[in-house]
Amino acid sequence: MRLIIFLAGICMTLSWGLTWIDPPFAGAALSPMAMVSDGRITLGPDSAWQAWVFLGGFAAAALAALIALRGRGAGLFALLAGLSPLIVLGDALLAAETLRRDLGLPFPVDLADLRASWSLVEGFVRIGFWAYLAGAAVLLLAGIRTLLPRR
């Protein structure tokens, strides 16, 4: 299990610098590292809790990988890293309509039509996004498996 946590932690951590979205005609490719260096995501006393959870997930993944490499139990950090994308995504889905109203967008947010939304962006998604999701999913499952009492 330690090897799985190590590899998944490395995968999620490395996604920090990899391109997540490469939109045509919309500027530079996006990665978490680029968004932090551009100032789009900041950490400080006034930062949103979502930024702390999102960036903290990378730190938890790195710690899980490091602890697993040292032969120690990394289940808690694996679980925290795996939960971070779910927490941010859940909040984004709950706040989608409010965000649409705040931005004054002229169209409704239809969460039932995620397939249509995905078809708009799927051609721009790059390896960093997939590495993040895969690493987070494996860390979540490994964290749950490690922390559950054995029968």
Side-chain angles (χ1 to χ4, degrees):
M1 188 61 70
R2 287 189 303 240
L3 178 61
I4 291 170
I5 291 175
F6 173 74
L7 293 174
I10 291 296
C11 186
M12 186 172 169
T13 303
L14 288 179
S15 76
W16 167 262
L18 296 173
T19 300
W20 282 33
I21 298 175
D22 193 8
F25 314 115
L30 294 177
S31 71
M33 185 171 64
M35 290 190 296
V36 168
S37 65
D38 292 348
R40 292 183 225 169
I41 298 176
T42 59
L43 285 184
D46 297 332
S47 297
W49 65 266
Q50 295 89 338
W52 286 96
V53 171
F54 178 66
L55 297 178
F58 289 101
L63 284 170
L66 182 62
I67 292 169
L69 180 65
R70 296 189 43 104
R72 306 281 184 212
L76 179 61
F77 286 108
L79 181 66
L80 292 174
L83 281 174
S84 67
L86 294 177
I87 292 169
V88 173
L89 176 64
D91 177 66
L93 291 175
L94 291 174
E97 184 59 28
T98 303
L99 180 62
R100 183 207 60 86
R101 273 182 281 149
D102 291 347
L103 295 175
L105 298 175
F107 52 85
V109 175
D110 184 8
L111 298 178
D113 198 10
L114 289 177
R115 180 176 290 169
S117 299
W118 175 249
S119 69
L120 292 174
V121 297
E122 71 178 321
F124 312 124
V125 175
R126 299 294 179 251
I127 188 74
F129 179 78
W130 299 118
Y132 177 75
L133 286 184
V138 171
L139 285 171
L140 178 64
L141 295 174
I144 290 170
R145 173 67 178 102
T146 302
L147 294 176
L148 278 179
R150 305 205 182 197
R151 294 179 191 201

